Amino acid sequence: MGRKNRTRQRAQPNRDGRPEGKRNRDDAGWGAGYSEIIKENKLFEHYYTELKIVPEGEFEEFMEAMREPLPATIRITGYKSHAKEILHTLKEKYFKEVQDLEVDGQKIEAPQPLSWYPDELAWHTNLSRKILRKSPLLEKFHQFLVSETESGNISRQEAVSMIPPLLMKIEPQHKILDMCAAPGSKTAQLIEMLHSDMDIPFPEGFVIANDVDNKRCYLLVHQAKRLNSPCIMVVNHDASSIPRLHFDQDGKKDILFYDRILCDVPCSGDGTMRKNIDVWKKWTTSNSIHLHGLQIRIAVRGVEQLAVGGRMVYSTCSLNPIEDEAVIAALLEKSEGALELADASADLPGLKYMPGITSWKVMTKEGQWFSDWSEVPTSRHTQIRPTMFPPTDPEKLANMKLERCMRILPHHQNTGGFFVAVLVKKAPMPWNRRHPKLQMGESLADVPPADGSSADAPVEAVEVSSARCVSGPPPPKKMKLFGFKEDPFVFLTEDDPIFPPIQAFYDLSPDFPKLNVLTRTREGKKRNLYMVSKELRNVLLNNSERMKVINTGVKVWSRNNDGEQFGCAFRLAQEGIYTLCPYIRARIINISVEDVKVLLTQENPFLSKLGDDAHTQAKKLEMGSIVLRYLPDPQDLDAPQCPIDLCGWRGKTSIRAFVSRNECLHYLRMVGVEVFRDKQGKRNDGSTETEEESTEDAEGLSQEADLLEQEGEETEQNANGTEPVSSTCDGPTS
């Protein structure tokens, strides 16, 4: 659940309630905690006993669950066609191997699917991180999880964190905003849902993932890049004032409204005590009081940018009603009927939750209680605000239907604590029902009536004369961009000289969207070519001065100067192979399961090592970049039942796959090759590798394990534009 969006004006605690920079490795990732911290906080117990958020007679059970380590949970990437194969491998091999084992006196229970997650794509187990990493009996399982996580096929994600994206009801055409997205587990789910139909390389929808923390945006990039989607853009803004974006629609400039918004706000994180043990000693009600205003501002900005008819999911990993129901009630009251709480009770069958509460009190860190705003002394008015209390009008309170909110308690299904509410927008927000304020030199015709157009207080229509403002705000200050300076995003034109040799070499189909190709340099040779969807291109071109883009696009070609002598200077990139393949009509070799094994276990096999069919196809091709394609045989149920596309290189007498190390391991497992490294880093899959490569791979696995330790995604690597690490699949051959 990680840290979240923070304002620059005031230092806020982490997303999980810890001060910036504090991390305990024993508590990250696969369960476990630090024993020196006593899991007691009398103020916490007193507060939640008084608020009665836990059913009568269950409070002791609730507290016992809070003191237990959080179970490890994994989610299989749902949009990839390989999901069923991974699930089959997990169930038939790894889960069977670990169940009933006893490690350090602890019996390993058989992993179980989360009952409310669709298609058995999410599982939990009682394995702790320490046991998983240190036990030789679990080493194979651990390596499987690490490499599949890095390949984007599995995500290490807390169970309750998976809930908000499921409640958003994503469809491929939806425009989605993730307001406080880092480190990116939920963002990954949103991307997966956009790509639910793998036959569509460019869904109409997209995800814009935002975070205020520049460094954490790169964690977000790393997480999103594993999914190789052309439909994701990572931006860096304060969520409470994220700019409105423009886009071209039917030849006119319009304001972008989102069909779905995820508003997973920064919070005190007391629902994460099972994972973040230091919350026990640092918990106080003042955390919630300080965050309440920021949470409302972010949520208000979210509903402003939501399209009428759209859904916004508001969530926190806090159990405190000041951060939960109070924020929802404030939103509903401000909306004057434009918003309503949706009933999501039937959306996730099997999920146990408590309905939202309608009565609560506010307590100071000194233990003083207030039941109503009228009781708060003037001296505390700057800290305690009226929106922190439930509405006093019984009819208004009843109409809000706060019981439709959902609070997940740890002892009900052995999870963390969580709060989620689904809001549906029925009409424009009341302060956005007229034209927004106009900028100098901008006519009313330039800016259509909009809700979501201004983050300020209610605005009135502005008189205009001769297409200029008579009154209005001064010109906006130039947006300050903090953090690292990004390379530009430069779209190629249809007549760019790069295209003819690429078009001829790969025989691209006439409908290949050349305008969606971009590069990251304005001058000199273009090193890599990326692709984005048509809709993201629209957003990028219309908002270059309005937003700070950290990363977008999936790499589809990389420059290879040796390739020029063969007719094309650009080789295919594995990251974008599934995006490109629908348009490629040449340079394709159909391969068998045995060919896959040869290509991924032998360093540089001769063409003759391939099966007769693949060998015949390869001999007909000139040297250069190729697609190695496996198509499933429905009659051979022992073979993978999903297509596999690999980038490769056809040399003079040899051939090789051009795949990152972890993807090599992934595909080898799919074709039934046991892949395992011993403590010396030696692989047992029959491949040949040098001592240097073996050491590099062993170190790589150790480094990648840190991703799982830190919720599967937190790494300090700047993932923007980095090259994949390859094992036996490292470069073109002669």
Side-chain angles (χ1 to χ4, degrees), residues 376-402:
V376 181
T378 307
S379 60
R380 289 190 179 270
H381 278 189
T382 55
Q383 293 87 33
I384 299 176
R385 305 298 301 149
T387 51
M388 296 178 184
F389 296 90
T392 54
D393 183 338
E395 184 178 354
K396 182 184 292 185
L397 182 61
N399 289 337
M400 288 182 177
K401 299 178 181 176
L402 292 178

Side-chain angles (χ1 to χ4, degrees), residues 197-392:
D197 186 348
M198 281 295 289
D199 292 330
I200 303 175
F202 291 104
E204 291 182 22
F206 56 77
V207 177
I208 294 179
N210 174 71
D211 203 84
V212 71
D213 188 317
N214 184 269
K215 290 182 180 178
R216 286 175 58 78
C217 282
Y218 293 97
L219 303 178
L220 187 53
V221 169
H222 177 76
Q223 179 81 319
K225 269 182 171 292
R226 298 182 309 141
L227 298 174
N228 298 328
S229 170
C231 304
I232 170 71
M233 179 190 295
V234 176
V235 299
N236 180 202
H237 292 280
D238 181 344
S240 64
S241 57
I242 191 168
R244 76 172 187 233
L245 301 182
H246 294 165
F247 74 119
D248 290 329
Q249 188 169 33
D250 301 326
K252 297 180 181 179
K253 186 162 287 192
D254 208 342
I255 291 174
L256 173 62
F257 294 112
Y258 300 95
D259 303 296
R260 299 289 186 267
I261 293 179
L262 176 55
C263 186
D264 186 46
V265 295
C267 66
S268 61
D270 60 16
T272 70
M273 281 179 165
R274 301 182 67 177
K275 181 177 67 172
N276 300 317
I277 315 298
D278 53 358
V279 177
W280 281 98
K281 65 178 182 179
K282 295 176 180 177
W283 185 90
T284 170
T285 55
S286 61
N287 293 340
S288 298
I289 290 171
H290 291 156
L291 285 165
H292 173 82
L294 174 63
Q295 291 162 340
I296 288 181
R297 291 195 300 277
I298 293 174
V300 166
R301 190 57 179 154
V303 294
E304 284 178 336
Q305 301 215 13
L306 186 65
V308 173
R311 291 166 75 93
M312 184 176 90
V313 172
Y314 175 90
S315 62
T316 75
C317 52
S318 169
L319 301 172
N320 198 325
I322 293 176
E323 302 177 65
D324 299 339
E325 285 92 346
V327 173
I328 297 298
L331 269 182
L332 292 171
E333 188 159 8
K334 288 173 182 287
S335 78
E336 298 177 7
L339 300 174
E340 76 171 24
L341 268 172
D343 182 358
S345 59
D347 290 349
L348 295 178
L351 178 66
K352 295 179 181 177
Y353 66 92
M354 296 301 297
I357 60 177
T358 57
S359 175
W360 63 89
K361 298 182 288 184
V362 177
M363 186 180 77
T364 65
K365 63 180 180 181
E366 295 82 18
Q368 184 179 4
W369 289 94
F370 301 108
S371 299
D372 186 80
W373 167 248
S374 61
E375 300 175 3
V376 181
T378 307
S379 60
R380 289 190 179 270
H381 278 189
T382 55
Q383 293 87 33
I384 299 176
R385 305 298 301 149
T387 51
M388 296 178 184
F389 296 90
T392 54

Side-chain angles (χ1 to χ4, degrees), residues 460-662:
E460 298 295 328
V462 181
E463 294 182 14
V464 292
S465 174
S466 301
R468 60 182 295 273
C469 290
V470 174
S471 62
K477 294 180 180 178
K478 187 171 182 179
M479 182 172 61
K480 292 183 179 179
L481 300 180
F482 297 89
F484 305 116
K485 180 176 176 58
E486 294 301 318
D487 293 330
F489 296 86
V490 184
F491 283 97
L492 305 187
T493 59
E494 285 190 309
D495 58 356
D496 193 293
I498 269 185
F499 282 126
I502 292 177
Q503 183 107 31
F505 192 72
Y506 297 104
D507 189 18
L508 298 181
S509 59
D511 60 340
F512 176 73
K514 295 179 183 177
L515 292 177
N516 294 8
V517 179
L518 62 87
T519 184
R520 300 298 303 273
T521 179
R522 296 188 189 279
E523 300 174 355
K525 284 190 174 182
K526 300 171 177 64
R527 181 164 170 258
N528 295 309
L529 301 180
Y530 304 84
M531 288 191 76
V532 296
S533 65
K534 177 183 175 183
E535 287 70 21
L536 269 189
R537 178 182 185 273
N538 190 340
V539 173
L540 269 169
L541 290 177
N542 283 286
N543 300 279
S544 59
E545 300 299 319
R546 201 169 277 108
M547 63 181 182
K548 181 181 178 185
V549 180
I550 299 297
N551 193 276
T552 192
V554 59
K555 183 163 66 175
V556 289
W557 280 294
S558 289
R559 179 175 289 279
N560 172 40
N561 291 329
D562 291 339
E564 292 186 16
Q565 59 184 300
F566 311 125
C568 183
F570 286 88
R571 66 167 178 84
L572 297 166
Q574 182 67 27
E575 299 97 307
I577 193 69
Y578 290 102
T579 299
L580 269 187
C581 267
Y583 305 102
I584 295 176
R585 300 183 297 184
R587 311 289 303 170
I588 299 171
I589 298 176
N590 291 307
I591 57 176
S592 66
V593 168
E594 291 306 313
D595 293 330
V596 174
K597 294 177 183 178
V598 168
L599 288 161
L600 297 183
T601 59
Q602 297 190 24
E603 176 67 23
N604 200 11
F606 288 110
L607 296 176
S608 58
K609 293 278 189 177
L610 298 177
D612 291 343
D613 187 30
H615 186 197
T616 301
Q617 297 174 64
K619 286 195 297 184
K620 294 178 181 178
L621 295 179
E622 298 295 328
M623 294 171 62
S625 188
I626 54 174
V627 177
L628 298 159
R629 174 168 295 165
Y630 163 80
L631 296 175
D633 179 0
Q635 306 302 317
D636 185 3
L637 298 180
D638 291 331
Q641 293 300 301
C642 62
I644 297 173
D645 285 328
L646 305 175
C647 288
W649 187 269
R650 199 282 202 205
K652 187 174 182 180
T653 59
S654 62
I655 192 167
R656 78 186 308 179
F658 210 77
V659 186
S660 70
R661 177 178 59 244
N662 286 305

Side-chain angles (χ1 to χ4, degrees), residues 612-727:
D612 291 343
D613 187 30
H615 186 197
T616 301
Q617 297 174 64
K619 286 195 297 184
K620 294 178 181 178
L621 295 179
E622 298 295 328
M623 294 171 62
S625 188
I626 54 174
V627 177
L628 298 159
R629 174 168 295 165
Y630 163 80
L631 296 175
D633 179 0
Q635 306 302 317
D636 185 3
L637 298 180
D638 291 331
Q641 293 300 301
C642 62
I644 297 173
D645 285 328
L646 305 175
C647 288
W649 187 269
R650 199 282 202 205
K652 187 174 182 180
T653 59
S654 62
I655 192 167
R656 78 186 308 179
F658 210 77
V659 186
S660 70
R661 177 178 59 244
N662 286 305
E663 283 194 278
C664 269
L665 302 180
H666 165 68
Y667 290 123
L668 283 171
R669 292 189 187 100
M670 285 183 62
V671 296
V673 177
E674 174 71 23
V675 183
F676 174 63
R677 286 177 205 281
D678 59 23
K679 293 297 183 182
Q680 284 73 44
K682 294 180 180 178
R683 263 175 40 185
N684 72 339
D685 57 8
S687 65
T688 58
E689 55 183 8
T690 65
E691 181 179 350
E692 181 181 352
E693 286 171 327
S694 177
T695 302
E696 176 189 315
D697 284 346
E699 290 174 351
L701 279 174
S702 175
Q703 293 167 357
E704 288 151 14
D706 290 340
L707 296 174
L708 287 178
E709 292 171 23
Q710 299 173 17
E711 203 179 338
E713 63 236 344
E714 295 192 294
T715 172
E716 294 304 320
Q717 173 189 5
N718 178 344
N720 182 25
T722 55
E723 294 285 345
V725 180
S726 298
S727 54

